[in-house]
Amino acid sequence: MSTCDPSSQLLQGGLTAVPGFFAAGLSSGIKKGGLADLALIYADTPCRVAGLFTQNQFCAAPLQLNKRHLEKGLGRAIVVNSGNANAFTGAQGMRDAEAMARAAAQSLGLPVDAVYVASTGVIGERLPLRRILEAVPKLCAALSDSGSAAAAKAIMTTDTFQKETAWEASVGAQRIRVGGIAKGSGMIHPNMATMLAFLATDVAMETALLQDALREAVNYSFNCVTIDGDTSTSDMALLFANGKKGHLIRTKDLRYRQFVALLKAACLALAKMLVRDGEGATKLIAIEVSGAKDRAAAQKIASSIARSLLVKTAFFGEDANWGRIVAAIGNAQVPVLEKEVDLSFGPTQLLRGGAYLGRDAEASVSYYLKRGEIELHVGLRSGEGSATVWTSDLSFDYVKINASYRS
Amino acid sequence: MSTCDPSSQLLQGGLTAVPGFFAAGLSSGIKKGGLADLALIYADTPCRVAGLFTQNQFCAAPLQLNKRHLEKGLGRAIVVNSGNANAFTGAQGMRDAEAMARAAAQSLGLPVDAVYVASTGVIGERLPLRRILEAVPKLCAALSDSGSAAAAKAIMTTDTFQKETAWEASVGAQRIRVGGIAKGSGMIHPNMATMLAFLATDVAMETALLQDALREAVNYSFNCVTIDGDTSTSDMALLFANGKKGHLIRTKDLRYRQFVALLKAACLALAKMLVRDGEGATKLIAIEVSGAKDRAAAQKIASSIARSLLVKTAFFGEDANWGRIVAAIGNAQVPVLEKEVDLSFGPTQLLRGGAYLGRDAEASVSYYLKRGEIELHVGLRSGEGSATVWTSDLSFDYVKINASYRS
């Protein structure tokens, strides 16, 4: 899926590759063993802000605070802790989230509603607020224009590597940048919010358009990845735009489209990292469905395959078990005829018009399945709709990690 | 959940505990190592038949045949093989299913449309028809009024034990029996069909009512269990009623209700066996939700908990990870307020009105979680709706079994 124009370019530096943004990360003692657990992102000028939040009924306290701050559509900083989600913590949780924002606002000399907060980790335990408040001044002092990696590291939970990306592309006459950091691992599933993602850009765009751009980019990236089908109470994406480059984009013109393509590229890069780092994942699997009635039908089918535990364990076993894949296609609640199903693994077709192409093709697929990156293509004959969903396999380690996460 | 009147009684003998029903099972060579793989159920008089079939788009050939035979609502025999699902096998699969029914019909001296067929096992490979045809005469000769266990054994795939049950209760002035066999393991999930279940009864009931009774019983039993959320292309429930006892039930009177309660008891007993034998399952978990707006809302919430991989792995790890449970409640797409959630594990309450009751309660829950049978109760304050869903934990062995099932 080409999501970006040919002039787009992958950069080093993550979120702080965007001029005007600073970041830091350190250990405040929430996590044991001196692991980094507190991050700060700071913009040296006021930004327009777009945000998307979990659809879980129990939206965690920090998200509720952010939604309030987002009403003005402006912001300067994001303070994030890992190790504790401050979720299902009632009125106390709300007070703790406010105290966390207030501490950062005071240290940075900002109004409190310019500060956004995020918390990720165990649900239902009170935030260790004192540790956070004590660490905030040090965190502010550590802000740096090369701090993206430190911040990316501090927001990790069961992630095994930090996730950051930076892209540049032409938007109108300007070269615009988008940089971001994210954390995932477990509970990765479509329907926003599927993770924490913090994105920065120097584009100048009206807030309502910025929100539309974020929604569009997220729908084609974070909402197209699934690991275990769970949705967390804490997940969100925030996009800060400092407007340092070019004239304000006010309509959905060519520049808007160019920016969305750039934002998609950045979000997709982060989303794929989330899948690759899914708990216990040994394979990154792209499931492409084409020829469906429309995009929604294609996405339903791709998601049904991506979510099937039987399919995911078969990929872990490197078994060309196409029967489970067709069973998953049949479970998508989309009308499909058996004789209209094509199925290919990478370059090798295994089903054509519903007919199995034989042991030789299957042997070649079995060989292909030993790779770490797998492409599965489902072709239908119902229309022009297509969609791609990324997922991981389901391994022993998924069970191991999640059976013992809290202890 | 009391599903049966106090006079109901659990009997020995499975399906053939019902007078007039005979069964057999043997090895036809579809499975390796001389494992039983072919079963026959036979009624010595014509039966009224009710049936429910998978909602998967790719309904396997045997089910398509059965739907045709079911149009008359009558039947005398069911022939079932394991080791091959005869699913996604196109027109050839249909011819093979017909040949299988014809062979049994000839051996038993029945019209072909009195014979129902079922196949379970690997999807997408042609049925080894010759082996089945050769074995059918021997199978007919082996029919016995104590053959339930042999038939139950022959329909197993990755099941680790055979599943049969028999119940008796008063329906009007008569003692009526329901006996049945089932197979499950993997792909167990609500929404019919979630398994193979074959049920026999001596009740006399009009076919349309019998169908309603089966649907009702299945909705409260098989459709309330979930292991991995997948739905197979081959699953079905068939109920044969030979009408040897009592006067024909023609309306939804007291006798109809009594029979439904009896049928539910039999289906629920089999459904719980399916969960207990879910692939790699180490625990049987009953998730009871009460106080929801209505039954549908309660069932959505219970299912969301039952399907969460994070919850299931936590149960495997015997971790009182209530944060994951509340996250799953929040994912059910049912409006719920945090402060209206009560949560108990067995006798111990852990959340009251959304508030965590402390480390002592949690320690007691942790001890409780070492049991093989666990009850989780979620209490809400939205209404009178309640539902129970049964599930298993997710263990290393689930991954192991499913990563290597075909090889």
Side-chain angles (χ1 to χ4, degrees):
Chain A
M1 187 165 76
S2 174
T3 53
C4 206
D5 76 293
S7 73
S8 77
Q9 196 186 337
L10 185 59
L11 308 175
Q12 298 293 312
L15 187 140
T16 47
V18 184
F21 286 93
F22 300 80
L26 53 67
S27 165
S28 71
I30 303 173
K31 285 185 185 163
K32 294 167 193 163
L35 291 171
D37 54 22
L38 199 62
L40 182 65
I41 295 166
Y42 173 75
D44 64 1
T45 54
C47 294
R48 294 171 194 261
V49 182
L52 290 169
F53 303 97
T54 188
Q55 291 180 359
N56 193 296
Q57 293 286 319
F58 305 125
C59 188
L63 285 74
Q64 296 176 41
L65 186 72
N66 290 349
K67 286 182 186 175
R68 222 159 64 200
H69 291 183
L70 198 59
E71 282 165 18
K72 287 197 191 163
L74 296 173
R76 287 287 295 276
I78 311 172
V79 56
V80 191
N81 75 277
S82 58
N84 182 305
N86 193 14
F88 217 79
T89 42
Q92 181 65 55
M94 205 55 210
R95 286 192 295 271
D96 290 345
E98 285 163 353
M100 190 167 155
R102 206 162 42 234
Q106 282 169 357
S107 272
L108 295 166
L110 298 174
V112 68
D113 60 6
V115 179
Y116 292 72
V117 295
S119 297
T120 176
V122 175
I123 295 171
E125 294 187 3
R126 197 189 156 186
L127 196 66
L129 188 62
R130 186 180 299 179
R131 289 181 179 159
I132 294 174
L133 299 188
E134 280 173 10
V136 160
K138 202 162 52 158
L139 188 66
C140 295
L143 282 169
S144 138
D145 63 3
S146 61
S148 175
K153 204 174 185 79
I155 66 173
M156 289 164 51
T157 54
T158 55
D159 305 68
T160 64
F161 58 85
Q162 71 222 40
K163 297 165 188 73
E164 43 171 355
T165 196
W167 293 74
E168 186 181 89
S170 295
V171 172
Q174 302 282 335
R175 294 295 285 177
I176 293 293
R177 291 187 173 183
V178 172
I181 63 174
K183 65 84 49 186
S185 215
M187 286 195 174
I188 305 300
H189 182 60
N191 271 330
M192 200 62 228
T194 61
M195 35 76 246
L196 294 183
F198 305 112
L199 298 145
T201 179
D202 48 6
V203 81
M205 184 178 281
E206 280 195 348
T207 312
L209 288 187
L210 198 68
Q211 180 71 25
D212 286 352
L214 180 61
R215 188 178 305 278
E216 215 174 315
V218 164
N219 277 342
Y220 276 81
S221 58
F222 297 112
N223 282 354
C224 287
V225 301
T226 180
I227 293 172
D228 58 20
D230 279 294
T231 301
S232 137
T233 56
S234 305
D235 296 345
M236 72 180 105
L238 289 174
L239 170 62
F240 275 46
N242 66 14
K244 292 196 176 186
K245 280 282 185 72
H247 298 292
L248 189 67
I249 302 175
R250 294 169 187 276
T251 61
K252 292 193 176 176
D253 58 9
L254 176 65
R255 289 182 304 156
Y256 172 81
R257 299 292 338 148
Q258 289 171 328
F259 175 71
V260 168
L262 171 64
L263 188 60
K264 274 188 194 173
C267 289
L268 191 58
L270 290 170
K272 285 188 185 179
M273 288 180 214
L274 299 190
V275 179
R276 198 183 298 274
D277 198 21
E279 286 167 353
T282 73
K283 293 177 192 300
L284 173 66
I285 303 154
I287 297 165
E288 302 169 18
V289 175
S290 63
K293 188 167 70 76
D294 51 29
R295 177 170 162 82
Q299 182 132 7
K300 269 189 185 177
I301 290 169
S303 293
S304 178
I305 299 170
R307 291 188 65 176
S308 163
L309 300 197
L310 291 169
V311 169
K312 287 157 72 78
T313 45
F315 275 118
F316 174 62
E318 300 179 345
D319 177 8
N321 196 325
W322 60 272
R324 293 185 185 170
I325 294 168
V326 300
I329 295 170
N331 277 340
Q333 301 187 294
V334 172
V336 179
L337 293 178
E338 189 172 318
K339 64 175 191 285
E340 294 187 349
V341 177
D342 296 338
L343 187 65
S344 299
F345 294 75
T348 309
Q349 191 164 24
L350 195 58
L351 288 184
R352 185 179 300 132
Y356 173 63
L357 297 178
R359 297 277 175 200
D360 284 354
E362 189 170 327
S364 146
V365 169
S366 295
Y367 185 75
Y368 175 76
L369 290 178
K370 298 184 190 305
R371 294 160 47 117
E373 291 203 16
I374 291 167
E375 283 175 20
L376 179 71
H377 186 81
V378 177
L380 305 172
R381 292 160 199 191
S382 311
E384 303 285 308
S386 68
T388 303
V389 166
W390 289 266
T391 191
S392 57
D393 56 344
L394 183 69
S395 71
F396 293 119
D397 281 350
Y398 177 87
V399 178
K400 190 170 167 184
I401 292 165
N402 284 301
S404 62
Y405 174 41
R406 293 205 321 174
S407 49
Chain B
M1 187 164 78
S2 175
T3 54
C4 205
D5 77 292
S7 74
S8 74
Q9 194 185 340
L10 184 61
L11 308 175
Q12 297 293 310
L15 188 139
T16 47
V18 184
F21 286 94
F22 301 80
L26 52 66
S27 165
S28 71
I30 303 172
K31 285 186 187 163
K32 294 167 192 163
L35 289 172
D37 54 21
L38 199 61
L40 182 64
I41 295 165
Y42 172 74
D44 64 2
T45 53
C47 294
R48 296 172 192 259
V49 182
L52 289 170
F53 303 97
T54 187
Q55 290 180 359
N56 193 295
Q57 293 285 319
F58 305 126
C59 188
L63 285 73
Q64 295 176 41
L65 186 72
N66 290 349
K67 286 181 187 176
R68 222 159 64 202
H69 291 181
L70 197 60
E71 282 165 18
K72 287 196 190 163
L74 295 174
R76 287 285 297 276
I78 311 170
V79 55
V80 191
N81 76 276
S82 58
N84 182 306
N86 191 17
F88 218 78
T89 43
Q92 181 66 54
M94 204 56 209
R95 286 192 294 273
D96 290 345
E98 284 163 354
M100 189 166 155
R102 207 161 41 237
Q106 282 169 357
S107 272
L108 295 166
L110 299 174
V112 68
D113 60 6
V115 178
Y116 292 72
V117 295
S119 297
T120 176
V122 175
I123 295 171
E125 295 187 3
R126 196 187 157 189
L127 197 65
L129 189 61
R130 186 179 300 178
R131 288 180 180 160
I132 294 174
L133 299 188
E134 281 172 8
V136 160
K138 203 163 51 158
L139 188 65
C140 296
L143 281 170
S144 138
D145 63 3
S146 61
S148 175
K153 203 174 186 79
I155 66 173
M156 287 164 52
T157 55
T158 54
D159 305 68
T160 64
F161 59 85
Q162 71 223 37
K163 297 164 188 74
E164 42 172 354
T165 198
W167 293 74
E168 186 180 271
S170 295
V171 173
Q174 302 283 335
R175 292 296 286 177
I176 293 293
R177 290 187 174 184
V178 172
I181 63 173
K183 64 84 49 185
S185 215
M187 286 194 175
I188 304 300
H189 182 59
N191 270 331
M192 201 61 230
T194 61
M195 35 77 245
L196 294 183
F198 306 113
L199 297 146
T201 179
D202 47 6
V203 83
M205 185 179 282
E206 280 195 348
T207 313
L209 288 188
L210 199 67
Q211 181 70 27
D212 285 352
L214 181 61
R215 187 178 305 279
E216 215 173 314
V218 164
N219 276 342
Y220 276 81
S221 57
F222 297 113
N223 282 354
C224 287
V225 300
T226 180
I227 293 172
D228 58 19
D230 279 296
T231 301
S232 137
T233 56
S234 306
D235 297 342
M236 72 181 105
L238 289 174
L239 170 62
F240 275 46
N242 66 14
K244 292 196 177 187
K245 280 280 186 69
H247 298 292
L248 189 67
I249 302 175
R250 295 171 186 276
T251 60
K252 293 193 176 176
D253 57 10
L254 175 65
R255 290 182 302 154
Y256 173 82
R257 298 294 336 149
Q258 287 171 329
F259 176 72
V260 168
L262 172 63
L263 188 60
K264 273 187 194 174
C267 289
L268 190 58
L270 291 170
K272 285 189 186 178
M273 288 181 213
L274 299 189
V275 179
R276 196 183 300 274
D277 198 21
E279 286 166 352
T282 73
K283 292 177 193 300
L284 173 65
I285 302 153
I287 296 164
E288 303 168 18
V289 175
S290 62
K293 190 167 68 78
D294 50 27
R295 177 171 162 81
Q299 183 133 8
K300 270 190 184 176
I301 290 169
S303 294
S304 178
I305 298 169
R307 293 189 63 177
S308 164
L309 299 198
L310 291 169
V311 169
K312 286 155 73 77
T313 45
F315 275 119
F316 174 61
E318 301 180 344
D319 176 8
N321 196 324
W322 61 272
R324 292 186 184 169
I325 294 168
V326 301
I329 295 169
N331 277 339
Q333 300 187 297
V334 172
V336 179
L337 293 178
E338 191 172 316
K339 64 175 189 288
E340 295 187 348
V341 177
D342 295 338
L343 187 66
S344 300
F345 294 73
T348 308
Q349 190 165 24
L350 196 58
L351 288 185
R352 184 178 301 132
Y356 173 64
L357 297 179
R359 297 276 174 200
D360 284 353
E362 190 170 328
S364 145
V365 169
S366 297
Y367 185 75
Y368 175 76
L369 290 178
K370 299 185 189 303
R371 294 160 48 115
E373 292 202 17
I374 290 165
E375 283 175 20
L376 179 71
H377 185 82
V378 177
L380 305 172
R381 293 161 198 190
S382 310
E384 302 286 306
S386 68
T388 303
V389 165
W390 288 266
T391 192
S392 58
D393 56 343
L394 183 68
S395 70
F396 293 120
D397 281 352
Y398 178 88
V399 178
K400 189 170 169 187
I401 292 165
N402 284 301
S404 63
Y405 173 42
R406 293 205 323 175
S407 49

